[in-house]
Amino acid sequence: MGKAIQNEDYLFKKIYDYVLHQIERKEWKEHDKLPSVRQLASEMKVHRLTVLKAYQLLKQHDKVYVKDKAGYFVQSNVTNNLEYLHQNNPIVSAYVQKNHLSEIHQPSVSYHFSQALIDPNLLPNHYFSDYVKKVFDLYPKVLATYSTVQGDLELRETLAQYFINQYKTHLGADDVFITSGSQQAIHLIAQAFIKPRDVVLFERPSYSAAIDIFRAQGAQIVTVDIHPEGYDLEQVEYYIKQYKPRLFYLNPTFHNPTGYTISIEQRKKLVELAEQYRFLLIEDDAYHDIYFDQAPPPPIYTYDSAGTVIYIRSFCKYISPGLRIAAVICPSSLRNALLTVKSLADNGSPLLNQKIFLHYFSSLRLQQHLEKIRIALHIRKEIMEEELAVTGWRWTSPKGGLNLWVELPDKLPPELLLAKSIEQSISFVPGQICDPLKQLSSWIRLSYSYANEKQLREGVKRLVAVAQSLSK
Amino acid sequence: MGKAIQNEDYLFKKIYDYVLHQIERKEWKEHDKLPSVRQLASEMKVHRLTVLKAYQLLKQHDKVYVKDKAGYFVQSNVTNNLEYLHQNNPIVSAYVQKNHLSEIHQPSVSYHFSQALIDPNLLPNHYFSDYVKKVFDLYPKVLATYSTVQGDLELRETLAQYFINQYKTHLGADDVFITSGSQQAIHLIAQAFIKPRDVVLFERPSYSAAIDIFRAQGAQIVTVDIHPEGYDLEQVEYYIKQYKPRLFYLNPTFHNPTGYTISIEQRKKLVELAEQYRFLLIEDDAYHDIYFDQAPPPPIYTYDSAGTVIYIRSFCKYISPGLRIAAVICPSSLRNALLTVKSLADNGSPLLNQKIFLHYFSSLRLQQHLEKIRIALHIRKEIMEEELAVTGWRWTSPKGGLNLWVELPDKLPPELLLAKSIEQSISFVPGQICDPLKQLSSWIRLSYSYANEKQLREGVKRLVAVAQSLSK
């Protein structure tokens, strides 16, 4: 995909999204006339053909219609993607309650490309019983004791010191918050800072569980496309002015599902925007240490001096997912709100898990383990890419993380491929699940982290064969 | 406190609460005239003096006023206890976010009578490392593995079998749900079944964290007094018809904070009401096994045949609070809603904790441990009662549980006693925190479970001395 094509494609989507948002926000109401092609092209500083192409696709998608030669008009009954839905079941009546990803994982298959998890055989299982024994020797009453709501002080001190060493930023144990996995962190943040109908900015595509969490809280989601080179920051600023989001949930490092990483320049600019327009950046950083060649840029929170970033760092994906421990770095002005929500949710994560994690995290073995994992995942990524090379499918090769984000040809719908793949005992995630607008209809996410090398080769070969049989 | 006095007091409160609810629900609006004393006495089938006394107290509490000889009228600006409050802080903007109990626990003291927790020295700490070792031998990849959202199947099967053995009711592993402590269970239920402004029935007093959780979800709380002999079921039915609550959160066995236990007759009648009026009973049962003389009646869920009871059983209080494991028995029609909320909240409780709990729970040591704990807590309760005997304070001696619910004399306000007690390194819970209406202004909760025998004697002596110095 050449640079020029991508740029045109990108401007086109910008126009498409803009019109759609105007319609969804009822700025342009049913049967309103859209601006003329010439007028919008001039306003948005793009070529008229780009606007025309966007209008045509909107027509194709039934969002607008053409009336004789009078121009384009807003279609009636356009479903409002921005409005949260409300279930009316008399007993189950909270906001939309769906976890799309967990539904995909339900069928049991032999070739798991839907799981963005690390193969349990790569994890340091055999060391752990040593640390557990150590924890019981050191803290004989660990199971009789509640953790504080914010998390074990010793662990928070260790993590603060780790972040200071890594990024040379000032930090204390008070700034660190322990949650039961990064998913709980996202859930607590949504509960603490989002009321129904608040606007939340999301990358498109994004992490599907986060989409479901914010929707369940009643948020209205506005999306910003993520590209290999980052966001269109003008578009971001435009949306911020237009929609006044309370927060931007983002995953700027080896982004899930695309694998893209945001540059230092964009990181700094995002912090400036957050300070200027007073919204929060929720930086979800689950893959920071899973890089193949070089370490990624420092987290966005390290550029924050005004307390606008909440940073969620999960280590457990590549150490011990079963422990369910994540660290949150939270500005002091927001800490009490999170503490209260956490105290209501579970009154603190289990102390045992925090102490086991602490002792492994503080050990020399961690660095060795990380190096091993990086090599193993790099190899697995390359196996998947080798096996997919014959297909002509398109993806940007990731420099870290656990997934390939793959665009299928038009004639191969992901739903059909998934249905046939599951028959062949292969699972993957259709891209639509990762799209808050549920429209990315030609993409899929393939995780190379869970299956071992042999399963990867076999499974991808099978997947390719399924695709070929469908394309005939 | 004689039976006659209590009965009168009880009818009086019934009238008082009824009028207050009518005002709070805006059934009777500002400056509306109240029914005449004669009229209400006839409607409610009580003596006129009882109504008069209630009206007089309402006047004293600024809820109503008297206009010449025309009667009683609704005061303006009566704060609406039923409406949820809404914080307008620009950053922290979700519903009321407060955890009152955790604030009480913050000061560090020598004599902890505020903690309804069991002394860690009474817990089976020294056995646990055996079970942990066993878990790592049996499941070497336990830390590399996520639990399913509903909880470990082996644990759910074991618990189902336990409940079958105990109560002879039919039950399968599918009916059991594992949460990270009973508090998480309450939180998940609130999220799954309560929308803002839904009405929830609560006992008065009740468990303060549960009050905070439902309020944070935007619930409107209606209260039903709990007495040593149970509820006024006519009042319960009246409120159900009047307010159509979605659920009744109750703690019918060694109730927190009062220690009262609801009879089998009332248990059966509650299930009938729930079936008839289609609301849920949320039965929180954290103290079931902590009895001193004889086992309590079977849980309410065992009388349920229509799927109206969600039963929350916490074992960890007296085994290993640090593990954070509770079991929920949930009717199949409600299971998916809970599963989804749990999957969004944390995607499943840590597997390690479930496996450790499973192996201890299945062992013979559990029964021995329980017998030891019952005796130890019985002794501690009696020490507290002995030391309090000199005060003239009033309480109903509990037959199980962890707390004394004590009524102080009028001239001794709990807030003042607490402030002075904390100076003497003693903590307890003022009853107001346990009252959804924040009005029970002469009661305190004293927990005898956390301090050891020596601390109990010393601490209660000190508390009595503080009270005496304030009464001079």
Side-chain angles (χ1 to χ4, degrees):
Chain A
M1 185 159 44
K3 178 76 188 164
I5 292 171
Q6 199 167 26
N7 194 40
E8 189 198 307
D9 186 56
Y10 166 44
L11 290 172
F12 157 74
K13 280 207 98 37
K14 182 172 157 174
I15 302 297
Y16 179 95
D17 286 347
Y18 170 73
V19 175
L20 203 60
H21 275 296
Q22 292 297 93
I23 296 172
E24 285 168 344
R25 295 283 292 188
K26 308 262 189 221
E27 295 290 325
W28 298 347
K29 300 196 177 55
E30 293 181 9
H31 310 301
D32 276 2
K33 189 176 183 300
L34 267 58
S36 73
V37 169
R38 180 190 301 260
Q39 190 190 339
L40 192 63
S42 153
E43 272 176 27
M44 303 284 281
K45 299 193 179 57
V46 297
H47 197 279
R48 279 184 236 162
L49 273 176
T50 310
V51 176
L52 185 65
K53 208 176 129 196
Y55 278 17
Q56 283 169 343
L57 192 68
L58 284 159
K59 177 168 170 281
Q60 199 179 314
H61 288 171
D62 263 347
K63 306 293 179 189
V64 304
Y65 63 95
V66 178
K67 203 156 72 185
D68 303 330
K69 295 192 175 159
Y72 289 83
F73 293 79
V74 178
Q75 187 62 269
S76 59
N77 299 320
V78 172
T79 51
N80 191 341
N81 284 311
L82 288 174
E83 283 214 307
Y84 67 93
L85 303 162
H86 200 99
Q87 287 185 327
N88 280 320
N89 177 313
I91 294 286
V92 184
S93 68
Y95 300 109
V96 187
Q97 289 178 337
K98 220 161 160 55
N99 182 329
H100 292 86
L101 204 56
S102 74
E103 289 172 13
I104 289 285
H105 291 152
Q106 279 170 10
S108 76
V109 297
S110 305
Y111 306 100
H112 283 281
F113 306 143
S114 63
Q115 302 267 26
L117 292 178
I118 292 175
D119 177 2
N121 294 304
L122 291 179
L123 297 180
N125 308 301
H126 51 297
Y127 293 141
F128 262 111
S129 48
D130 299 355
Y131 295 102
V132 173
K133 197 175 165 313
K134 192 171 165 191
V135 163
F136 276 89
D137 289 346
L138 284 169
Y139 322 94
K141 291 179 190 165
V142 64
L143 287 181
T145 317
Y146 284 115
S147 162
T148 62
V149 172
Q150 188 169 352
D152 179 54
L153 182 60
E154 200 184 359
L155 175 58
R156 290 189 286 115
E157 279 169 351
T158 302
L159 287 168
Q161 196 53 54
Y162 167 83
F163 288 119
I164 291 168
N165 295 344
Q166 289 280 307
Y167 308 118
K168 317 290 174 222
T169 52
H170 183 71
L171 204 70
D174 273 0
D175 302 309
V176 180
F177 201 109
I178 306 299
T179 62
S180 293
S182 57
Q183 184 157 339
Q184 185 185 51
I186 300 167
H187 195 242
L188 296 175
I189 289 166
Q191 289 180 282
F193 304 116
I194 296 302
K195 318 187 288 302
R197 297 185 183 274
D198 278 346
V199 173
V200 170
L201 221 55
F202 254 79
E203 293 154 336
R204 181 177 186 229
S206 183
Y207 173 43
S208 119
I211 298 168
D212 292 333
I213 287 169
F214 280 98
R215 277 217 198 281
Q217 191 66 15
Q220 301 190 77
I221 293 178
V222 171
T223 61
V224 172
D225 285 352
I226 182 168
H227 304 278
E229 62 282 13
Y231 319 113
D232 175 354
L233 286 179
E234 283 179 23
Q235 191 194 30
V236 171
E237 187 166 0
Y238 176 80
Y239 283 165
I240 289 163
K241 284 191 207 165
Q242 180 89 350
Y243 300 120
K244 301 187 177 47
R246 293 187 62 73
L247 59 85
F248 183 5
Y249 168 84
L250 72 180
N251 181 204
T253 307
F254 310 129
H255 172 262
N256 176 10
T258 67
Y260 307 154
T261 293
I262 303 305
S263 67
I264 290 182
E265 291 65 37
Q266 289 217 339
R267 286 169 194 246
K268 290 180 179 167
K269 180 69 184 162
L270 283 166
V271 170
E272 285 169 24
L273 287 173
E275 288 184 21
Q276 185 180 348
Y277 295 102
R278 292 184 51 73
F279 64 97
L280 299 178
L281 294 169
I282 310 300
E283 182 181 16
D284 190 356
D285 202 9
Y287 308 103
H288 200 94
D289 291 311
I290 310 288
Y291 54 85
F292 303 139
D293 298 315
Q294 65 186 84
I300 294 178
Y301 94 84
T302 61
Y303 303 106
D304 175 34
S305 58
T308 59
V309 184
I310 300 183
Y311 179 69
I312 306 170
R313 180 69 165 266
S314 165
F315 302 92
C316 278
K317 273 214 155 64
Y318 51 88
I319 297 181
S320 55
L323 277 183
R324 313 295 292 120
I325 295 291
V328 175
I329 297 179
C330 179
S332 57
S333 60
L334 308 171
R335 195 182 303 142
N336 279 341
L338 273 191
L339 272 172
T340 303
V341 177
K342 171 79 173 164
S343 82
L344 294 175
D346 64 10
N347 217 15
S349 294
L351 186 60
L352 174 68
N353 305 49
Q354 298 184 57
K355 291 294 192 190
I356 295 174
F357 177 75
L358 165 69
H359 285 276
Y360 182 71
F361 189 78
S362 314
S363 77
L364 290 172
R365 280 172 177 160
L366 178 66
Q367 206 49 43
Q368 298 159 6
H369 166 65
L370 263 173
E371 281 159 21
K372 184 187 109 182
I373 283 243
R374 283 182 197 124
I375 294 168
L377 290 176
H378 197 169
I379 292 170
R380 291 179 190 208
K381 183 203 77 152
E382 292 192 336
I383 291 173
M384 184 173 263
E385 290 185 318
E386 276 166 35
E387 295 297 330
L388 287 176
V390 297
T391 58
W393 299 351
R394 295 191 299 182
W395 66 91
T396 301
S397 186
K399 297 193 168 66
L402 312 180
N403 310 300
L404 290 192
W405 177 243
V406 177
E407 187 174 16
L408 301 182
D410 285 346
K411 60 190 173 190
L412 187 60
E415 298 70 32
L416 181 62
L417 181 63
L418 181 60
K420 294 288 171 191
S421 296
I422 282 173
E423 288 174 14
Q424 297 292 315
S425 210
I426 305 161
S427 67
F428 60 83
V429 173
Q432 234 171 20
I433 283 181
C434 309
D435 177 11
L437 304 180
K438 301 284 170 253
Q439 288 168 350
L440 291 172
S441 55
S442 58
W443 296 81
I444 63 174
R445 188 189 80 174
L446 292 173
S447 301
Y448 45 78
S449 54
Y450 194 78
N452 66 30
E453 298 179 18
K454 184 159 172 286
Q455 288 167 332
L456 262 172
R457 274 210 197 280
E458 283 176 14
V460 180
K461 274 189 210 299
R462 275 194 187 216
L463 175 69
V464 170
V466 171
Q468 282 167 346
S469 75
L470 289 171
S471 308
K472 267 173 194 157
Chain B
M1 185 158 48
K3 180 76 187 165
I5 291 171
Q6 199 166 25
N7 193 42
E8 188 199 307
D9 186 55
Y10 165 46
L11 289 172
F12 157 74
K13 281 206 98 41
K14 185 171 157 177
I15 302 298
Y16 179 95
D17 287 347
Y18 169 73
V19 175
L20 203 60
H21 277 295
Q22 292 296 93
I23 296 173
E24 284 166 345
R25 297 283 292 189
K26 310 260 189 222
E27 295 289 326
W28 298 347
K29 300 196 179 54
E30 294 179 8
H31 309 299
D32 276 4
K33 188 172 183 304
L34 266 60
S36 71
V37 169
R38 179 191 300 259
Q39 189 189 340
L40 193 64
S42 151
E43 273 176 29
M44 304 286 278
K45 301 190 178 59
V46 296
H47 196 278
R48 279 183 235 163
L49 271 177
T50 310
V51 175
L52 185 65
K53 205 176 131 199
Y55 278 15
Q56 282 169 341
L57 191 68
L58 284 159
K59 176 166 170 280
Q60 196 180 319
H61 289 170
D62 261 347
K63 306 293 179 188
V64 304
Y65 63 94
V66 177
K67 206 157 69 184
D68 302 330
K69 295 190 176 165
Y72 289 82
F73 292 81
V74 178
Q75 187 60 272
S76 58
N77 300 319
V78 171
T79 50
N80 190 341
N81 283 312
L82 288 173
E83 282 214 307
Y84 66 93
L85 301 163
H86 200 98
Q87 288 185 328
N88 280 319
N89 177 315
I91 295 285
V92 183
S93 67
Y95 301 108
V96 186
Q97 290 177 337
K98 215 156 165 57
N99 183 329
H100 293 85
L101 203 54
S102 74
E103 289 172 14
I104 289 285
H105 291 152
Q106 279 169 11
S108 77
V109 296
S110 306
Y111 305 99
H112 283 282
F113 306 142
S114 63
Q115 303 266 26
L117 292 177
I118 291 175
D119 178 1
N121 294 304
L122 290 180
L123 299 179
N125 307 299
H126 52 295
Y127 293 141
F128 262 111
S129 50
D130 300 355
Y131 295 101
V132 174
K133 195 173 167 314
K134 190 170 166 192
V135 163
F136 275 89
D137 289 345
L138 284 169
Y139 323 95
K141 291 179 190 164
V142 64
L143 286 181
T145 316
Y146 284 113
S147 162
T148 61
V149 172
Q150 190 169 351
D152 179 56
L153 181 60
E154 200 183 357
L155 175 58
R156 290 188 287 116
E157 280 168 349
T158 301
L159 287 168
Q161 196 52 55
Y162 168 83
F163 288 118
I164 292 168
N165 295 345
Q166 289 281 308
Y167 308 117
K168 317 292 173 219
T169 52
H170 183 71
L171 203 70
D174 274 359
D175 302 310
V176 181
F177 200 110
I178 307 298
T179 61
S180 294
S182 57
Q183 185 157 339
Q184 186 185 52
I186 301 167
H187 195 242
L188 296 174
I189 289 165
Q191 289 180 281
F193 304 116
I194 297 301
K195 315 188 291 301
R197 297 185 182 274
D198 279 348
V199 173
V200 169
L201 220 55
F202 254 80
E203 293 155 335
R204 181 178 186 225
S206 183
Y207 174 43
S208 121
I211 298 168
D212 292 333
I213 287 169
F214 280 98
R215 277 218 199 278
Q217 190 67 14
Q220 303 188 77
I221 293 178
V222 171
T223 61
V224 172
D225 287 351
I226 182 168
H227 304 277
E229 63 280 13
Y231 319 113
D232 175 353
L233 285 178
E234 281 179 24
Q235 189 192 33
V236 171
E237 186 165 2
Y238 176 80
Y239 284 165
I240 290 162
K241 284 190 203 163
Q242 178 92 349
Y243 301 121
K244 301 186 176 49
R246 293 188 62 74
L247 59 83
F248 183 4
Y249 168 84
L250 71 180
N251 182 204
T253 308
F254 309 128
H255 173 263
N256 176 8
T258 66
Y260 306 154
T261 293
I262 303 303
S263 68
I264 291 183
E265 292 63 37
Q266 290 217 338
R267 288 169 193 246
K268 290 179 178 167
K269 180 69 184 165
L270 283 166
V271 169
E272 284 169 24
L273 288 173
E275 289 184 21
Q276 184 180 350
Y277 294 101
R278 293 183 51 72
F279 64 98
L280 299 177
L281 294 169
I282 310 300
E283 182 181 15
D284 190 355
D285 201 9
Y287 309 103
H288 200 94
D289 291 312
I290 310 288
Y291 54 85
F292 303 139
D293 298 313
Q294 67 185 85
I300 295 178
Y301 94 85
T302 61
Y303 302 105
D304 175 35
S305 57
T308 59
V309 183
I310 301 182
Y311 179 68
I312 306 170
R313 178 69 166 264
S314 167
F315 301 93
C316 277
K317 272 214 157 64
Y318 51 87
I319 296 179
S320 56
L323 278 182
R324 313 295 292 124
I325 295 292
V328 175
I329 298 179
C330 179
S332 58
S333 60
L334 308 171
R335 195 182 303 142
N336 280 339
L338 273 192
L339 271 172
T340 303
V341 176
K342 171 79 173 163
S343 82
L344 294 175
D346 65 9
N347 216 17
S349 295
L351 186 59
L352 174 67
N353 306 49
Q354 298 183 58
K355 290 295 194 191
I356 296 174
F357 177 75
L358 165 68
H359 286 277
Y360 181 71
F361 190 77
S362 315
S363 77
L364 289 173
R365 281 173 178 160
L366 178 66
Q367 206 49 44
Q368 297 159 5
H369 166 66
L370 262 172
E371 281 160 22
K372 185 187 106 181
I373 283 241
R374 283 182 200 123
I375 294 167
L377 290 175
H378 197 167
I379 292 170
R380 291 180 190 208
K381 183 203 76 151
E382 292 192 338
I383 290 173
M384 184 173 262
E385 292 185 319
E386 276 165 35
E387 294 298 329
L388 287 176
V390 296
T391 59
W393 301 351
R394 296 192 297 181
W395 66 91
T396 300
S397 186
K399 297 193 169 66
L402 313 180
N403 310 300
L404 290 193
W405 177 243
V406 177
E407 189 174 15
L408 301 182
D410 286 345
K411 60 190 174 192
L412 187 61
E415 299 70 31
L416 181 63
L417 181 62
L418 182 60
K420 294 289 171 193
S421 297
I422 283 174
E423 287 173 15
Q424 297 293 315
S425 212
I426 305 161
S427 68
F428 61 82
V429 173
Q432 233 170 21
I433 283 181
C434 309
D435 177 11
L437 305 180
K438 302 285 172 253
Q439 288 168 348
L440 291 172
S441 55
S442 58
W443 296 80
I444 65 173
R445 188 189 79 176
L446 291 173
S447 300
Y448 45 79
S449 55
Y450 195 77
N452 65 31
E453 298 179 18
K454 186 160 169 288
Q455 288 166 331
L456 262 173
R457 274 210 196 278
E458 283 175 13
V460 180
K461 273 189 209 299
R462 275 193 188 218
L463 175 68
V464 170
V466 170
Q468 282 166 344
S469 73
L470 289 171
S471 306
K472 267 173 198 158

